[in-house]
Amino acid sequence: MSATTTATLETEEAEVGFLVRAKGAWTVRLVRDLDGPLREISPKRARGRDAVIDLTGLTRLDTAGAWLLHRTSEQLRVAGLRVSYRGETAEIRTLLDVAEGYRFGFNLRLPRPPAYIQLADRVGATLISVANEVRGLLGFFGLLLEVLWRTIKHPSRLRVVPLVHHMERAGLDALPIVCLMTFLIGGVLAQQGAVQLQKFGAEVFTVNMVAITFLREIGILLTAIIVAGRSGSAFTAEIGSMKMREEVDAMRTLGLDPMDMLVVPRVLALVIMLPLLTFVADIMGLVGGALMVWQMLDTSPGVFIVRLSEAADFWTFGVGILKAPLMALVIAMIGCYAGMRVTGSAESVGVQTTRSVVQSIFMVIVLDALFAVFFTAIGI
Amino acid sequence: MTDDDPIIRVRGLRNQFGSQVVHDNLDLDVRRGEVLGIVGGSGTGKSVLLRSIVGLQRPTAGTVTVLGRTISEMEEEERKRLEQQWGILFQDGALFSALTVAENVQVPYREHLGLPLDLMDELAALKITMVGLPSDACTKYPSELSGGMRKRAGLARALALDPDILFLDEPTAGLDPIGAAAFDTLIRDLQRTLGLTVFLVTHDLDTLHATCDRIAVLADKRVTLQGTMDDMLRSDHPWIKEYFTGPRARAAQASATG
C-alpha cells in the first residue's frame, strides 16, 4: 500500500496543540472510511486552545478531500479551538477555497409527508385526473361529432389520400395477424367445447356453440382488441410525435385544422375497416372451428355448413358486425385524443400511448357488455 | 507516462456510417491541463469524435488512447475504472428525469463508491454550489429547470468524481448570450481550480475566445489545423478563414479583447 492509494488520518496531542495529520491521497475514491473517524474527532481531547491540521503528508487532494478538511476545521472551530493549517500549498488553498464556498443548511431531500397523507394524496390526484380525462374525452367526442357533421355537409373537406392510407395501414395490414389469431381461437374454442359436450353426448352442438359465440362475441371482441393494440397506439404515437415536434401547431398557423387533417381520416378509416376486418375474422374463426370439428368429431365441412345455417341466422352475425363501427369510433377517438394530449417531451408520448391502449381495450370490453345487455333486452 | 505525453491521443481514426465517411485518418492530441476547442461545420462529426473518444461509438479503424490506455483494447473492469476519470456534459445535460438534481449528482457516488449518506449529501451540495446553482435547485426535478440550469446540473454530475478530463458537447448551445458568457467563465474557473483537461465541442466563437487554450478544426474528414487562436487567424484554409474572420468572428474577437 503506497501513499497514493490510501488515505489515512492520525490525531495526537503535540506541543503546537491538538494535531490532526492528513496523510496519503485524500480523493473521493479513498475518503469513504475517513468520514466516520473525522466526525468523531472530539475537541474535548484537546488540552490547549490550539488545533493544527497538518497537510504535509498529503500526496493528492481533490474537492471531496478538501471538503472533509474544511468540515473538520469548522467542527473544531465551533468547539472553540483556534484552527490553523500546516503545509498549505497554493493548490491546496484553491481547493479549500472551493470547499469554503459551500454553506451548511442545504436541503437535499424532498420532504416526505406521512404515509396516510401520501395515500390520500394519490387517491385524490387519481380521481381528479380520471374526472379530467373523462371530461376531456367527452369534449373531444363532441368536437369530433361536429367535425364529422361538417365533413358530411361538405364532403370536399374530406382528405381522401390520408383516408385511404390509414385504411391500408389499419385494415389491410392487420389482416394477417387478425386471420391467424381468430383462426387459432376458433379452433381452440371448438376443441374445448367438443371435449366438454362429449361428456353428455351433445357433441353435435359444438357447431352451434362455435358459431354463436364467435359470430356474436369473440370475432368482434378479438378483432377490436387487436386493432386497439395495433392502430390505436399507432394513432397516439403518430399524432403525439407530430405534436411534440410542433407540427400540429405549424398546421394551425398555416390555417389547416388538425381535426380535418389528422383525426377525421383516422377515425373514418377505422370505422370503415373494423367491420370488414370483423367479417374476415368471423370467417376465419368458423374455418378454424370447422377444421377442428372435422378432425375431432368427423363432422365434414358440408355437414358443418348445414348445421351452421340451422344454428345461426342473419342476426347472429348482425349483432357482432353492428358493434364494429361503434367500437372503431371509440378506439380511434381515444387514440387521437391521447395523441393530442402529448406535451413537449418524448416521455409523454410513451405515457399517452400506454394510456390510449389501456383505455381503448377497457372501453371495448365495457361497450361489449353494454351491447350484450341491450341486444338481449330487444330480443335478438 | 510522463506529464508531457498527450492525455488523449487519437491516431488514424476512421468513422463510417454506411457509405458515408465522417472521419478518415484523423489524428488529434489533447495535452494535460489545456482547454481544447473542437470546431467544424455542421455534419463534420464533432460529436462523433467525442463519442469515439469516450467509447460510445466504436470507430471503424484507428486507435484512441486516453491516459495512456487504449480504449478498444480494454477489458470491461479497466474500462469502468477509466470511465470514472472523465466526466461528460451532454448537450442538454442528459440528467435522469426521474431523479432530483441532488440525486443526479449522487448517482456516481452511490454506484461506484458507496459513500455514507451524509457525506454524499455534503459532497453533492458542494458540487451544486460549485457550478453556481442556487440551493433550492437541489430538490428540483430536471423538468422544472431552465436550459442553463440543466446544463449546470449536468456539469455538477460530470464533476462528481473529480475527473481528470471533462468532455463538453456544445456547452453554450441554446443559452442566451448572458447565460453563455457566464457558463464560459464557469468552465474556465473550474478548469483552473481543479486542474482539469477540457475537451470542448462548440460552435460558439465567444466560447472559443473566452475559454480555449488551443483549437482543433475539423474539416475534410480530419483535423485540418490544431493550434492557438493566432494560428487560426493566420491560416489560409478557406473554411477556417471564413469561420475565424467572418463578421460574427470579428464581433466575438472585439468583445474578447475589448
Side-chain angles (χ1 to χ4, degrees):
Chain A
M1 297 245 264
S2 74
T4 52
T5 56
T6 54
T8 51
L9 166 76
E10 286 166 13
T11 54
E12 66 174 291
E13 197 60 48
E15 275 174 43
V16 286
F18 184 64
L19 190 65
V20 179
R21 260 204 203 101
K23 279 183 162 177
W26 281 41
T27 60
V28 66
R29 257 169 283 275
L30 300 169
V31 294
R32 182 175 64 189
D33 301 327
L34 295 175
D35 182 50
L38 278 173
R39 274 180 210 280
E40 280 157 21
I41 287 179
S42 165
K44 285 188 198 122
R45 281 170 51 200
R47 270 186 305 234
R49 299 211 47 236
D50 287 300
V52 176
I53 300 180
D54 183 9
L55 310 172
T56 44
L58 278 180
T59 54
R60 262 192 87 186
L61 185 72
D62 67 6
T63 51
W67 162 250
L68 287 181
L69 291 173
H70 171 62
R71 194 187 70 190
T72 309
S73 83
E74 280 300 304
Q75 201 175 314
L76 295 172
R77 194 168 288 142
V78 166
L81 296 175
R82 280 193 298 270
V83 188
S84 58
Y85 291 107
R86 190 161 78 187
E88 179 187 297
T89 62
E91 286 103 50
I92 293 178
R93 188 66 251 167
T94 328
L95 287 170
L96 284 173
D97 283 339
V98 170
E100 280 160 19
Y102 160 57
R103 301 163 308 284
F104 285 91
F106 266 44
N107 179 21
L108 280 105
R109 301 195 188 140
L110 285 174
R112 281 193 196 283
Y116 65 92
I117 290 186
Q118 280 188 50
L119 182 72
D121 183 43
R122 281 178 61 176
V123 170
T126 309
L127 278 178
I128 289 171
S129 86
V130 167
N132 283 338
E133 193 76 26
V134 169
R135 231 183 70 162
L137 207 54
L138 278 177
F140 190 75
F141 184 54
L143 183 62
L144 181 64
L145 286 183
E146 191 211 317
V147 176
L148 282 177
W149 179 240
R150 216 165 57 196
T151 313
I152 292 169
K153 279 201 302 192
H154 309 279
S156 59
R157 292 179 70 109
L158 184 65
R159 311 271 155 170
V160 179
V161 176
L163 174 69
V164 175
H165 170 77
H166 289 298
M167 280 169 69
E168 184 191 338
R169 289 266 302 276
L172 207 61
D173 293 354
L175 265 181
I177 180 82
V178 167
C179 287
L180 181 69
M181 301 260 301
T182 47
F183 175 79
L184 291 177
I185 297 286
V188 170
L189 213 60
Q191 188 230 0
Q192 293 298 319
V195 171
Q196 296 304 318
L197 290 172
Q198 252 173 345
K199 286 182 185 161
F200 39 97
E203 66 263 33
V204 283
F205 288 109
T206 309
V207 180
N208 300 40
M209 195 203 72
V210 170
I212 290 171
T213 49
F214 223 91
L215 294 180
R216 278 186 82 111
E217 297 291 338
I218 305 289
I220 171 65
L221 204 55
L222 215 57
T223 316
I225 288 173
I226 294 170
V227 167
R230 217 182 146 273
S231 306
S233 61
F235 290 175
T236 310
E238 287 162 6
I239 296 180
S241 59
M242 290 182 77
K243 189 92 195 296
M244 194 179 77
R245 287 193 304 252
E246 298 185 312
E247 286 176 54
V248 175
D249 296 334
M251 225 175 246
R252 282 210 181 96
T253 58
L254 293 172
L256 305 167
D257 185 355
M259 289 300 282
D260 279 338
M261 303 287 292
L262 302 174
V263 178
V264 170
R266 286 179 168 82
V267 171
L268 282 185
L270 215 57
V271 169
I272 297 171
M273 292 317 280
L274 192 61
L276 297 178
L277 277 175
T278 308
F279 179 70
V280 177
D282 285 348
I283 292 176
M284 288 311 289
L286 291 178
V287 169
L291 285 180
M292 191 53 82
V293 170
W294 190 13
Q295 203 257 325
M296 284 183 70
L297 308 173
D298 263 346
T299 315
S300 73
V303 179
F304 185 90
I305 289 174
V306 173
R307 294 215 49 90
L308 179 66
S309 60
E310 285 167 16
D313 59 8
F314 171 77
W315 279 109
T316 320
F317 163 75
V319 162
I321 216 84
L322 265 184
K323 297 187 239 182
L326 216 78
M327 288 188 178
L329 183 70
V330 167
I331 293 170
M333 188 184 78
I334 290 176
C336 294
Y337 174 68
M340 287 295 196
R341 293 249 312 187
V342 165
T343 53
S345 66
E347 195 190 359
S348 128
V349 178
V351 171
Q352 291 297 340
T353 307
T354 313
R355 186 173 292 175
S356 128
V357 173
V358 172
Q359 276 180 4
S360 47
I361 291 180
F362 171 77
M363 281 309 291
V364 160
I365 292 172
V366 168
L367 267 184
D368 193 62
L370 290 178
F371 271 120
V373 174
F374 172 72
F375 284 124
T376 314
I378 64 167
I380 51 175
Chain B
M1 157 173 188
T2 66
D3 274 0
D4 291 339
D5 278 342
I7 195 164
I8 300 171
R9 178 202 291 269
V10 180
R11 286 292 174 267
L13 184 78
R14 182 185 175 87
N15 272 306
Q16 191 171 0
F17 300 99
S19 62
Q20 193 202 354
V21 179
V22 180
H23 300 135
D24 190 20
N25 207 12
L26 180 148
D27 295 344
L28 178 72
D29 285 328
V30 184
R31 296 178 196 152
R32 188 176 281 275
E34 75 171 349
V35 180
L36 178 72
I38 306 287
V39 295
S42 301
T44 49
K46 301 184 293 290
S47 296
V48 176
L49 176 61
L50 190 155
R51 293 171 65 86
S52 314
I53 293 175
V54 299
L56 289 171
Q57 159 86 39
R58 184 180 276 274
T60 318
T63 54
V64 176
T65 315
V66 180
L67 291 160
R69 278 166 291 182
T70 307
I71 300 283
S72 52
E73 290 167 5
M74 269 191 299
E75 300 289 323
E76 186 69 22
E77 278 306 305
E78 201 187 348
R79 246 189 94 87
K80 272 192 186 149
R81 270 203 306 280
L82 185 63
E83 274 167 3
Q84 291 177 33
Q85 291 181 37
W86 66 52
I88 306 173
L89 171 63
F90 291 96
Q91 260 195 41
D92 195 34
L95 297 169
F96 303 123
S97 52
L99 304 178
T100 63
V101 169
E103 285 164 348
N104 260 290
V105 177
Q106 287 170 347
V107 166
Y109 297 136
R110 226 179 270 276
E111 293 305 312
H112 295 306
L113 304 177
L115 296 181
L117 273 180
D118 287 340
L119 181 60
M120 240 165 36
D121 281 357
E122 290 165 6
L123 290 181
L126 176 65
K127 296 285 141 111
I128 289 167
T129 325
M130 266 167 65
V131 297
L133 283 175
S135 59
D136 61 350
C138 293
T139 49
K140 283 191 177 149
Y141 284 96
S143 55
E144 301 169 287
L145 299 178
S146 69
M149 288 168 91
R150 271 205 296 278
K151 288 198 184 199
R152 281 173 192 258
L155 188 59
R157 187 179 68 183
L159 291 174
L161 292 178
D162 275 277
D164 296 322
I165 313 171
L166 184 62
F167 292 94
L168 306 170
D169 192 359
E170 307 251 0
T172 53
L175 299 186
D176 64 78
I178 299 170
F183 206 84
D184 289 341
T185 318
L186 174 71
I187 291 169
R188 192 75 218 184
D189 287 350
L190 287 175
Q191 188 266 338
R192 286 205 181 113
T193 20
L194 306 178
L196 296 165
T197 306
V198 180
F199 182 99
L200 183 137
V201 170
T202 189
H203 266 310
D204 191 334
L205 283 154
D206 292 304
T207 307
L208 290 175
H209 279 286
T211 60
C212 294
D213 298 312
R214 289 195 316 139
I215 297 164
V217 181
L218 281 189
D220 314 326
K221 295 168 187 167
R222 51 207 163 84
V223 176
T224 325
L225 182 63
Q226 198 173 0
T228 60
M229 188 52 100
D230 291 336
D231 297 334
M232 299 296 134
L233 296 172
R234 277 198 297 271
S235 168
D236 284 333
H237 189 282
W239 189 85
I240 300 179
K241 220 169 169 161
E242 173 121 31
Y243 188 90
F244 286 97
T245 53
R248 310 193 75 168
R250 282 198 292 277
Q253 208 175 349
S255 71
T257 49

